[in-house]
């Protein structure tokens, strides 16, 4: 065997047969992660009869007055009335802001809503993000995603304006004018929740923004921050596991360059179909390690699962046999691994557009557990321009929402946002980790993972996440209590 220079990952398998150049590595943003990592079958259960589906006749373009701007489309929102104390009591509304996926899975998984509704007597509202699920403009998904002209209405500013419209409609429809609204979101949805509170404080009293990497734009956070945390997570579990992974990349490349090397890799890793080039295996492993760290939830702790398998494996094939053992342990007992048949999901398609337009998060690696992989904005712009005919706007998120000098800026006008994070989550490096004011609060746990605090509570949850959730509930109770006091004063005096 012989080593060769590392060739950056420029390709990604986007379907069962199509390979597209991809000059960046944006790990997935989702509260849920891989379904097989969850400790229960809750993802597969149909939602209960308590969830009622509605559609709102949503405006296509909230920010222009051209005739086409007034086009409408049906936007899905789902309401759970089971716990609501009713409009007469001004009982609160918890609104979950859907993100880059259909809203369906969130109904059972986002436990912060249902687990706490009874103590708040809260009405639960779940709103689907435009262009996902059943909330698609232009009458069909094919037409909505046709080109940049129709995709141009697909952005976060339009999305949070959608949420404002629907929440004001809900309050009017159910005569809940004085019911305070708390918006809740995780990951990209967590960013939306915090931005919603800043942009629409007259609609939402407060926001819980879970695992929201608000500061991973415009080089506020070091580009290599995400993968440096992944590396730290693995090293803390096992130094030998970290070393094995680090040296495996060059060995994979060396084996792939040998005669019949790819066939050897197929056999060693039990691939579902022959790999055509070594990047397919490297890409899978890279994504697997990132996902394991990001969603390192109890009780399974996938990072530990992978490292225990790598460290415990004995193989005549050395390093690669150990790495294969890590793959098998992560995925469980399957007939084959890697290169599984896969169709593009709505998230694949939608997030590709969103990251090529405004959600430009410059993530790179810098010779840690992973080979060096720089983020090149020029290459990324050419890639996006080739796909859509328009270049990304890498500075727009910070221009529209802010982010630079956030502690100095937000303390002047922001309030009632919880920025929650788990420090094992690689995206926490781009989160708000320190209190900004008495009402802009950072709540984090040392051992927490991505969006764990808003997922459904389980009897096996460690005490530290139970405490985190109680802290967040206590903060929200204080916001609502103050609101009720202000409301009583307002009604009595008709003014503040």
């Amino acid at each position: 065997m012989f080593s060769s220079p590392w060739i950056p990952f420029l390709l990604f398998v986007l379907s069962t047969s199509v390979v597209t150049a991809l000059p960046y590595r944006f790990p997935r943003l989702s509260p849920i992660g891989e379904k097989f990592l969850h400790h229960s079958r809750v993802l597969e259960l149909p939602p209960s009869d308590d969830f009622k589906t509605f559609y709102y006749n949503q405006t296509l373009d909230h920010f222009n007055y051209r005739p086409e701007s007034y086009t409408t489309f049906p936007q899905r929102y789902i309401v759970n009335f089971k716990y609501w104390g009713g409009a007469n009591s001004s009982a609160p509304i918890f609104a979950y802001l859907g993100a880059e996926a259909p809203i369906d899975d969130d109904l059972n998984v986002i436990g912060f809503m249902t687990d706490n509704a009874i103590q708040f007597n809260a009405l639960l509202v779940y709103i689907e993000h435009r262009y996902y699920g059943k909330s698609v403009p232009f009458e069909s998904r094919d037409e909505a995603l046709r080109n940049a002209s129709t995709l141009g209405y697909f952005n976060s500013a339009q999305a949070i304006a959608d949420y404002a419209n629907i929440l004001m409609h809900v309050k009017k429809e159910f005569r809940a004018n004085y019911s305070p609204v708390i918006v809740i979101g995780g990951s990209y949805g967590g960013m939306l929740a915090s931005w919603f509170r800043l942009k629409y404080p007259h609609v939402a009293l407060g926001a819980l923004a879970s695992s929201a990497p608000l500061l991973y734009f415009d080089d506020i956070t070091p580009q290599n921050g995400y993968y440096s945390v992944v590396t730290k997570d693995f090293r803390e579990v096992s130094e030998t596991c970290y070393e094995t992974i680090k040296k495996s990349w060059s060995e994979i490349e060396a084996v792939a360059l040998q005669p019949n090397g790819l066939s050897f890799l197929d056999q060693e890793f039990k691939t579902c179909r022959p790999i055509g080039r070594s990047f397919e295996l490297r890409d899978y492993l890279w994504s697997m390690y990132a996902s394991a760290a990001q969603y390192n939830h109890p009780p399974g702790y996938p990072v530990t699962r992978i490292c225990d398998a790598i460290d415990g494996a004995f193989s005549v094939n050395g390093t690669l046999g150990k790495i294969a053992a890590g793959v098998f342990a992560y995925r469980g007992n399957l007939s084959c691994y890697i290169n599984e048949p896969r169709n593009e999901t709505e998230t694949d398609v939608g997030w590709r557009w969103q990251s090529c337009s405004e959600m430009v998060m410059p993530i790179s690696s810098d010779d840690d557990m992973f080979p060096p992989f720089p983020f090149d904005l020029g290459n990324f712009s050419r890639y996006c321009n080739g796909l859509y005919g328009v270049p990304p706007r890498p500075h727009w998120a910070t221009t529209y929402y802010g982010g630079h000098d956030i502690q100095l800026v937000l303390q002047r006008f922001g309030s009632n946002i919880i920025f929650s994070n788990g420090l094992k989550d690689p995206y926490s490096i781009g989160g708000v980790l320190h209190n900004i004011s008495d009402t802009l609060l950072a709540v984090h746990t040392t051992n927490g993972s991505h969006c764990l605090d808003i997922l459904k509570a389980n009897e096996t949850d460690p005490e530290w996440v139970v405490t985190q959730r109680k802290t967040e509930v206590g903060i929200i109770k204080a916001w609502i209590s103050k609101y009720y006091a202000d409301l009583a004063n307002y009604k009595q005096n008709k003014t503040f």
Side-chain angles (χ1 to χ4, degrees):
M1 297 183 183
F2 59 94
S3 61
S4 66
W6 178 258
I7 301 173
F9 297 165
L10 298 180
L11 301 172
F12 183 65
V13 180
L14 295 177
S15 68
T16 58
S17 60
V18 179
V19 176
T20 303
L22 187 66
Y24 67 93
R25 279 196 159 276
F26 292 169
R28 64 180 297 159
L29 274 165
S30 166
I32 297 174
E34 301 287 358
K35 293 186 178 182
F36 66 84
L37 292 176
H38 286 261
H39 51 64
S40 72
R41 300 181 64 82
V42 67
L43 286 168
E44 300 170 11
L45 295 174
S48 73
D49 293 338
D50 299 323
F51 295 96
K52 309 298 182 185
T53 299
F54 298 85
Y55 288 89
Y56 177 75
N57 202 32
Q58 189 62 264
T59 301
L60 176 65
D61 183 2
H62 300 288
F63 304 108
N64 287 286
Y65 294 87
R66 295 188 297 269
E68 61 269 23
S69 300
Y70 291 84
T71 304
T72 60
F73 67 95
Q75 184 166 11
R76 181 168 57 154
Y77 67 98
I78 297 171
V79 182
N80 185 335
F81 297 93
K82 180 178 180 180
Y83 308 98
W84 194 34
N88 291 336
S89 66
S90 298
I93 298 170
F94 284 0
Y96 180 76
L97 306 186
E100 74 284 19
I103 199 70
D104 306 82
D105 282 344
D106 297 318
L107 303 179
N108 286 328
V109 174
I110 304 301
F112 194 91
M113 302 278 285
T114 50
D115 292 343
N116 294 297
I118 190 167
Q119 64 176 307
F120 284 94
N121 297 320
L123 179 71
L124 305 182
V125 181
Y126 303 76
I127 312 176
E128 191 165 64
H129 194 296
R130 60 167 55 201
Y131 284 77
Y132 292 105
K134 297 182 179 179
S135 303
V136 180
F138 301 105
E139 298 185 352
S140 75
R141 182 167 301 281
D142 288 344
E143 184 65 20
L145 304 176
R146 181 168 53 89
N147 56 38
S149 295
T150 52
L151 284 165
Y153 303 101
F154 185 1
N155 59 67
S156 61
Q158 299 280 9
I160 62 174
D162 291 343
Y163 299 149
N165 264 356
I166 289 177
L167 287 171
M168 294 180 78
H169 167 76
V170 165
K171 294 184 77 170
K172 181 179 179 181
E173 189 77 3
F174 302 121
R175 298 179 176 85
N177 187 51
Y178 292 114
S179 291
V181 174
I182 304 297
V183 293
I184 297 163
S187 204
Y188 166 55
M191 294 192 279
L192 295 177
S194 63
W195 292 335
F196 188 92
R197 168 60 186 166
L198 295 174
K199 295 291 187 181
Y200 297 93
H202 57 290
V203 180
L205 173 68
L208 170 55
S210 177
S211 297
L214 295 158
L215 307 181
Y216 223 132
F217 297 99
D218 215 6
D219 289 328
I220 298 173
T221 297
Q223 292 188 2
N224 68 335
Y226 181 97
Y227 287 109
S228 69
V229 176
V230 177
T231 297
K232 181 174 180 287
D233 289 349
F234 275 82
R235 291 192 81 166
E236 287 180 349
V237 168
S238 168
E239 183 71 20
T240 55
C241 173
Y242 154 77
E243 292 289 351
T244 301
I245 294 170
K246 185 176 175 65
K247 71 180 181 180
S248 69
W249 308 107
S250 59
E251 291 200 20
I252 291 170
E253 182 69 10
V255 169
L257 291 172
Q258 292 184 358
N260 299 317
L262 294 178
S263 295
F264 173 84
L265 294 175
D266 287 333
Q267 294 176 353
E268 188 71 22
F269 287 89
K270 301 180 182 179
T271 60
C272 297
R273 54 191 172 86
I275 59 176
R277 293 172 62 184
S278 62
F279 79 82
E280 296 174 37
L281 173 59
R282 297 198 309 262
D283 179 85
Y284 181 92
L285 295 172
W286 189 306
S287 298
M288 181 186 78
Y289 300 137
S291 181
Q294 186 168 320
Y295 301 101
N296 196 36
H297 299 333
Y301 294 111
V303 172
T304 300
R305 191 189 313 170
I306 290 171
C307 280
D308 284 350
I310 287 175
D311 289 343
F314 175 79
S315 171
V316 294
N317 297 320
T319 297
L320 297 189
K322 291 176 177 290
I323 297 298
V327 172
F328 306 152
Y330 177 72
R331 292 300 310 276
N333 187 23
L334 301 175
S335 59
C336 66
Y337 307 81
I338 307 170
N339 269 351
E340 298 164 280
R342 179 182 181 274
N343 294 318
E344 280 194 311
T345 66
E346 293 180 38
T347 301
D348 293 330
V349 176
W351 193 250
R352 187 158 58 242
W353 162 257
Q354 290 192 263
S355 60
C356 264
S357 51
E358 59 171 349
M359 295 290 120
V360 183
M361 305 176 76
I363 297 178
S364 67
S365 66
D366 186 21
D367 198 22
D368 34 43
M369 189 175 84
F370 303 88
F373 183 81
F375 176 81
D376 187 312
L377 180 58
N379 284 342
F380 180 59
S381 295
R382 285 187 287 274
Y383 162 78
C384 294
N385 209 16
L387 280 179
Y388 303 110
V390 293
R393 296 180 181 176
H395 311 296
W396 179 242
T398 55
T399 300
Y400 191 67
Y401 300 112
H404 290 285
D405 302 315
I406 191 170
Q407 288 196 292
L408 175 66
V409 174
L410 281 196
Q411 66 180 340
R412 299 174 182 272
F413 75 93
S415 64
N416 290 11
I417 303 174
I418 301 169
F419 302 100
S420 68
N421 283 279
L423 300 187
K424 296 290 187 184
D425 172 18
Y427 269 125
S428 68
I429 197 76
V432 177
L433 301 179
H434 303 283
N435 292 346
I436 296 174
S437 71
D438 291 342
T439 59
L440 294 169
L441 301 170
V443 178
H444 62 261
T445 54
T446 302
N447 295 314
S449 48
H450 199 63
C451 297
L452 180 61
D453 59 316
I454 64 170
L455 301 185
K456 196 168 188 63
N458 187 273
E459 62 273 8
T460 61
D461 286 337
E463 185 58 34
W464 47 262
V465 72
V466 174
T467 300
Q468 181 184 18
R469 290 169 180 152
K470 287 180 179 177
T471 299
E472 293 163 4
V473 167
I475 294 168
I476 293 171
K477 282 184 176 178
W479 293 345
I480 293 175
S481 294
K482 185 177 187 307
Y483 168 80
Y484 285 152
D486 292 341
L487 178 62
N489 185 56
Y490 171 76
K491 287 182 175 180
Q492 181 178 352
N493 300 307
K494 300 302 181 182
T495 185
F496 283 96

